[in-house]
Amino acid sequence: MTFTDNPSTTSAAHGSTAGAHGSTAAELLTAHDAQVRATVAARMPLTWASHPDGRVLRVTTPHRAFVFSDGLAGASAEEVEGYVERARDFFAERNEAVEWKYYSNDHPRLRGFLGAAGFRPEDEESVVVGRVPDVLDAGQVPEGVTIRPVSERRDLDRIAAMESEVWSQDWAWLADDLADRVAGSPDDIAVLVAEADDAADRAAPTVVAAAWLVVMPGTRFGGLWGGSTLARWRGRGIYRALVAERARIAQAKGLEFLQVDASEDSRPILERLGMFKVATTTPYVWTPQAS
């Protein structure tokens, strides 16, 4: 596979998982690689720009640059090393940090070449995949909490503020990213907030959690993104309720699979709901300062 901006890349991958009912983890991984990883270039937000290099796609965004690959199976060591070094040099010339999205089933030499080129690993996440019908009843909305869809900027800003509190970082950029996605392709994203009357803030309902479903056009997949909950509201089933609500939206859109890059907090919950860990993914980050 070669990365291009041609949407035909999507249709080539579509249909590769026919008859996936009762799928094993291996079958779900095959579906993920064929449909999700193979179609990045054809479904990027309008504010992202692609810079293809054969089997590698370099992407610039308003927030952070990315590198995606098809896994590079069958490539020679020299080819893999060349892809890594060209990506590093491309972003070094731009004086820009970049994240290479590495998967555990990628070329066996890739991780070593990334380290040698100055890319440093961040926290590993689990790639969790499941079928939409299996999580429709993931959980009920707990008493005192309301889940509703949002798209207005003021609500997106409230989500970004909640995420900033959860992660102890400035996530103001998230409101811009969600707004761009909603404006560019409103049918391909569903943003949900969970609100409650919080004793810590009686002036207005508090956004206690948020999550969004991102439809991957040309595939049968939807991505479960977000899913963060304020610390004092965890353990009440809000995360599971958000999974179930997004699964219902996915079903209405005709999707078959859901995919999550899951932390160790959410992975066990998703597996109990009937989803499968099919691989791991690790951000390998290169920065001009570190190099």
Side-chain angles (χ1 to χ4, degrees), residues 5-137:
D5 293 313
N6 188 342
S8 65
T9 307
T10 332
S11 57
H14 184 76
S16 62
T17 59
H21 181 72
S23 301
T24 66
E27 290 168 338
L28 291 170
L29 177 60
T30 298
H32 171 269
D33 287 351
Q35 295 192 47
V36 177
R37 295 188 67 182
T39 62
V40 175
R43 53 181 176 79
M44 297 191 309
L46 296 177
T47 54
W48 292 22
S50 64
H51 309 270
D53 178 21
R55 297 172 65 181
V56 166
L57 180 67
R58 303 180 295 232
V59 176
T60 52
T61 84
H63 174 55
R64 178 188 243 183
F66 294 97
V67 178
F68 303 94
S69 81
D70 65 359
L72 302 177
S76 68
E78 291 76 13
E79 289 173 320
V80 176
E81 184 177 30
Y83 279 125
V84 171
E85 292 182 347
R86 286 195 299 275
R88 178 202 59 200
D89 294 346
F90 176 83
F91 289 101
E93 187 172 340
R94 297 171 63 93
N95 195 36
E96 186 173 355
V98 59
E99 171 189 326
W100 185 300
K101 194 164 179 61
Y102 169 84
Y103 290 86
S104 55
N105 60 323
D106 282 351
H107 192 287
R109 298 289 300 277
L110 178 55
R111 185 191 294 264
F113 287 131
L114 287 169
F119 288 79
R120 297 293 176 255
E122 295 187 343
D123 292 343
E124 179 181 276
E125 294 183 314
S126 296
V127 181
V128 179
V129 180
R131 297 180 62 253
V132 169
D134 294 337
V135 293
L136 289 171
D137 298 319

Side-chain angles (χ1 to χ4, degrees), residues 116-205:
F119 288 79
R120 297 293 176 255
E122 295 187 343
D123 292 343
E124 179 181 276
E125 294 183 314
S126 296
V127 181
V128 179
V129 180
R131 297 180 62 253
V132 169
D134 294 337
V135 293
L136 289 171
D137 298 319
Q140 300 297 317
V141 182
E143 185 176 354
V145 175
T146 301
I147 292 177
R148 65 182 179 93
V150 298
S151 59
E152 294 187 8
R153 180 60 191 237
R154 68 173 182 271
D155 288 316
L156 304 183
D157 286 332
R158 294 169 70 219
I159 290 173
M162 183 274 298
E163 296 279 0
S164 297
E165 180 177 344
V166 168
W167 299 105
S168 300
Q169 296 177 358
D170 183 3
W171 278 51
W173 60 269
L174 179 62
D176 292 332
D177 182 73
L178 292 174
D180 288 342
R181 291 176 184 275
V182 170
S185 189
D187 291 336
D188 293 332
I189 186 168
V191 184
L192 304 177
V193 295
E195 295 173 309
D197 290 328
D198 192 344
D201 181 6
R202 295 186 179 275

Side-chain angles (χ1 to χ4, degrees), residues 3 72 89 145 163 208 215 260 274 284:
F3 281 105
L72 302 177
D89 294 346
V145 175
E163 296 279 0
V208 298
V215 178
V260 189
Y284 270 80

